[in-house]
Amino acid sequence: MHCQTGSWGSYMPTSRNTVGDPLERIERLASENAVVIFSISSCCMCHAIKRLFCGMGVNPTVYELDEDPRGKDMEKALMRLLGTSPAVPVVFIGGKLVGAMDRVMASHINGTLVPLLKEAGALWL
Amino acid sequence: MANHRVGETGLTDSGPSNHHRHIPYAALHGMNVPTSFIHQEGSAFDFGELEEAIVLQGLKIRNDEAKAPLFTPSRPAATLEMFPSWPMRFQQTPRGISRSGGESTDSGSAVNTLSSKTEHQIEPESPNSKKASSSDHQAFDQKPLQHQQHLQQQQQHQQQQPEMASDSSRTGTSQNQSPGKPPQEKRRGSTSEKQLDAKTLRRLAQNREAARKSRLRKKAYVQQLESSRIKLTQLEQDLQRARSQGLFLGGCAGAVGNISSGAAIFDMEYSRWLEDDQRHMSELRSGIHAHLCDSDLRIIVDSYISHYDEIFQLKAMAAKSDVFHLITGMWTTPAERCFLWMGGFRPSELIKMLISQLDPLTEQQVMGICSLQHSSQQAEEALTQGLEQLQQSLIDTVAGGPVVDGMQQMAVALGKLANLEGFVRQADNLRHQTLHQLPRILTVRQAARCFIVIGEYYGRLRTLSSLWASRPRETLISDDHSCQTTTDLQMVQASQNHFSNF
């Protein structure tokens, strides 16, 4: 499994559901793939988190909120969800919220990230 | 008088019209003036010796008057002698004076004998009659003028005879260097060495020597001042550096220039934290040596972990107020700064160091530590790449596009720069998490030893920095490198107390 430096995973078209609770949409999108990252294309910390997963051999699904018509609403919803700003990057693994960069790194250091990834099927040893 | 020109000065009888600013009256009027006096500037004029000269001149004149009174008793010549081109030390008085008794007493010869009999060191004080004039001595100003006229009269009236007389007197006192009597005009301009007897020569030589020594002394003094000034600026630099590194405990809040208040506060807090660190370390050491039970040791280890929590909280606050202070590592010492990564130590490097120091470890522990090192490396790499992207983006913004809009450009750049704080915070978070993970892998005793190792390691880096900063500067100048080695060794030996007995 290699990481492409160009496009980040698959880009999901959002034409299906134009009306709806942004948070609902987030949760729906998060459950569709093993590793889902909500990001902003110009954000450097988002770049760092993407490189972290790629370095581990994981191929995450990335949603660039600045390229989504409803991105602004989703960003606000994420901010409410996390309780802190900035809203991105935020990672979902196996449909469950892991958190922002600090939580992801802490879980990687304390050794809980890799089992989680394996459990979600994103990583095979 | 003409017959006593000092040829070396190249003076003519033009008197005041010559261009030397500091020509004393004595020289102007043809007195014997050693060269050195002409070219000296502004040395103190000793009036004490002036008075002595006056008195003794009076003595001398009385003696002379008994013999061959050619001068009027008003004695303006006496005043002329008071502007000595030499401070006269009249330790040999009557004998010397009477020796000149046979001479004619025109002012020139009188002066000549006075100076010729002084065989001691004559200090090269520049008479600077123009400068030295003061209200006290205004009387003198007028008399030399009178005397000048007087001299000129005398010169006209007593052209040959005084010269002959002085010549004859000189033969009496010293060897005669010139048997002939050249006309006065010739003698005025030319080097009249024949006119100078040995005593005069000796005196002149002594004066020159004294002047030279005085110049050397002055030069040495100036050099000393210069080197002291350089040392002072270096000391100030060292002081500023040491302060910014927090080596001066608690004494520098905002006091050092170019340091923001947030940075100064952090430096103060950090130095206090370092003190606490020493205390915790000694607790850990004594706990291990006392063979405390695990639960007791665990308490000490946990308190050390919360001690680390403190510094990361402080760093988080400092990152908000002055992220550059953290990123540039100005809060640490130079040796620590060598290894700086994103405002602090690199966790994977620390773990690598620990692996070698923490033997013996079980296989499981080794795996745990290696996996910790591995994840840490991955996280470091990710953060580094994120920071690199930030830097590249910043470069693009600052360089600007085809249309450069200054304020807009700056605003965008400022926004990007604000992201630095996030990276430093994440790096600190990584360090923090790593330090928390270590005691989970190790036993309590191993964890205690581990923290001692870490504390001592950074303590040694700090010691290295201060030794480096205080190494003697002279070794930079001298080319004797063996000297440098010896000094460094001495310094190291002197600082043995920095090294713990662990």
Side-chain angles (χ1 to χ4, degrees), chain A residues 17-34:
Chain A
N17 204 349
T18 52
V19 177
D21 183 26
L23 194 58
E24 232 181 66
R25 184 152 178 268
I26 288 167
E27 284 172 350
R28 189 172 46 79
L29 291 173
S31 58
E32 285 173 4
N33 291 91

Side-chain angles (χ1 to χ4, degrees), chain A residues 2-114:
Chain A
H2 69 278
C3 212
Q4 302 155 339
T5 50
S7 63
W8 293 100
S10 50
Y11 177 66
M12 307 297 265
T14 55
S15 52
R16 260 184 296 154
N17 204 349
T18 52
V19 177
D21 183 26
L23 194 58
E24 232 181 66
R25 184 152 178 268
I26 288 167
E27 284 172 350
R28 189 172 46 79
L29 291 173
S31 58
E32 285 173 4
N33 291 91
V35 179
V36 174
I37 304 178
F38 291 98
S39 155
I40 287 176
S41 54
S42 58
C43 166
C44 299
M45 196 55 79
C46 301
H47 181 75
I49 212 169
K50 292 169 203 168
R51 294 250 47 112
L52 176 64
F53 281 106
C54 280
M56 291 164 60
V58 173
N59 198 10
T61 307
V62 179
Y63 294 102
E64 305 285 0
L65 295 181
D66 53 332
E67 292 164 7
D68 190 304
R70 285 183 288 170
K72 280 260 157 42
D73 296 331
M74 289 163 75
E75 205 182 319
K76 283 183 201 149
L78 283 169
M79 248 190 278
R80 278 198 302 270
L81 189 65
L82 290 173
T84 56
S85 120
V88 291
V90 64
V91 175
F92 289 82
I93 297 180
K96 292 205 196 82
L97 175 67
V98 174
M101 182 56 140
D102 51 352
R103 291 286 295 278
V104 169
M105 284 218 302
S107 71
H108 190 35
I109 290 296
N110 66 26
T112 56
L113 187 63
V114 169

Side-chain angles (χ1 to χ4, degrees), chain B residues 22-27 33 37-38 40 43-45 47 82-86 124-133:
Chain B
H22 301 305
I23 301 302
Y25 271 105
V33 180
F37 299 154
I38 304 296
Q40 265 200 335
S43 11
F45 181 50
F47 287 105
M82 290 168 208
F83 286 90
S85 49
W86 55 95
E125 290 180 352
S126 148
N128 263 349
S129 54
K130 294 198 173 87
K131 278 188 182 178
S133 67

Side-chain angles (χ1 to χ4, degrees), chain B residues 141-169:
Chain B
D141 288 342
Q142 299 172 17
K143 289 190 181 173
L145 283 170
Q146 296 173 12
H147 182 61
Q148 184 178 11
Q149 297 160 0
H150 186 72
L151 268 181
Q152 282 166 354
Q153 289 167 7
Q154 288 185 340
Q155 284 167 8
Q156 278 150 17
H157 294 277
Q158 303 165 11
Q159 280 185 12
Q160 293 296 325
Q161 192 169 5
E163 293 164 5
M164 283 201 248
S166 64
D167 277 350
S168 60
S169 75

Side-chain angles (χ1 to χ4, degrees), chain B residues 197-354:
Chain B
D197 58 10
K199 283 213 171 88
T200 313
L201 280 172
R202 190 165 48 230
R203 181 175 51 78
L204 288 172
Q206 283 168 351
N207 290 342
R208 275 196 299 280
E209 186 58 35
R212 192 177 66 82
K213 282 188 182 154
S214 173
R215 277 196 299 275
L216 287 173
R217 273 201 306 270
K218 181 180 176 184
K219 191 175 168 189
Y221 178 59
V222 167
Q223 274 176 354
Q224 202 181 18
L225 279 178
E226 284 293 312
S227 64
S228 299
R229 194 171 60 84
I230 291 169
K231 272 184 198 163
L232 181 66
T233 52
Q234 275 173 354
L235 276 173
E236 281 176 1
Q237 280 170 13
D238 287 347
L239 187 67
Q240 180 144 6
R241 215 180 306 138
R243 274 188 178 164
S244 69
Q245 292 160 11
L247 290 178
F248 284 69
L249 304 176
C252 67
V256 182
N258 296 340
I259 195 171
S260 73
S261 62
I265 289 168
F266 176 73
D267 284 351
M268 223 169 47
E269 299 280 342
Y270 178 60
S271 65
R272 202 177 38 78
W273 186 86
L274 284 175
E275 282 178 33
D276 281 349
D277 197 56
Q278 289 300 315
R279 201 172 33 83
H280 276 106
M281 296 262 289
S282 58
E283 261 183 51
L284 282 167
R285 279 193 211 105
S286 54
I288 285 180
H289 288 144
H291 299 289
L292 289 180
C293 67
D294 278 5
S295 51
D296 289 345
L297 205 51
R298 162 90 35 207
I299 294 170
I300 301 176
V301 169
D302 285 347
S303 76
Y304 194 71
I305 292 173
S306 41
H307 168 71
Y308 261 106
D309 291 344
E310 249 183 67
I311 189 63
F312 287 115
Q313 277 167 17
L314 290 171
K315 283 185 83 181
M317 286 193 294
K320 278 195 183 66
S321 64
D322 189 352
V323 68
F324 286 108
H325 184 66
L326 293 180
I327 270 190
T328 57
M330 291 317 293
W331 59 283
T332 59
T333 60
E336 291 173 285
R337 231 174 278 151
C338 262
F339 306 102
L340 200 77
W341 173 77
M342 249 183 241
F345 65 86
R346 193 181 270 269
S348 57
E349 257 177 28
L350 181 70
I351 295 163
K352 248 186 274 180
M353 185 272 290
L354 283 172

Side-chain angles (χ1 to χ4, degrees), chain B residues 455-472:
Chain B
E456 288 194 347
Y457 176 76
Y458 287 109
R460 283 188 213 128
L461 278 183
R462 284 190 292 271
T463 301
L464 188 62
S465 298
S466 55
L467 283 176
W468 178 261
S470 63
R471 77 196 189 285

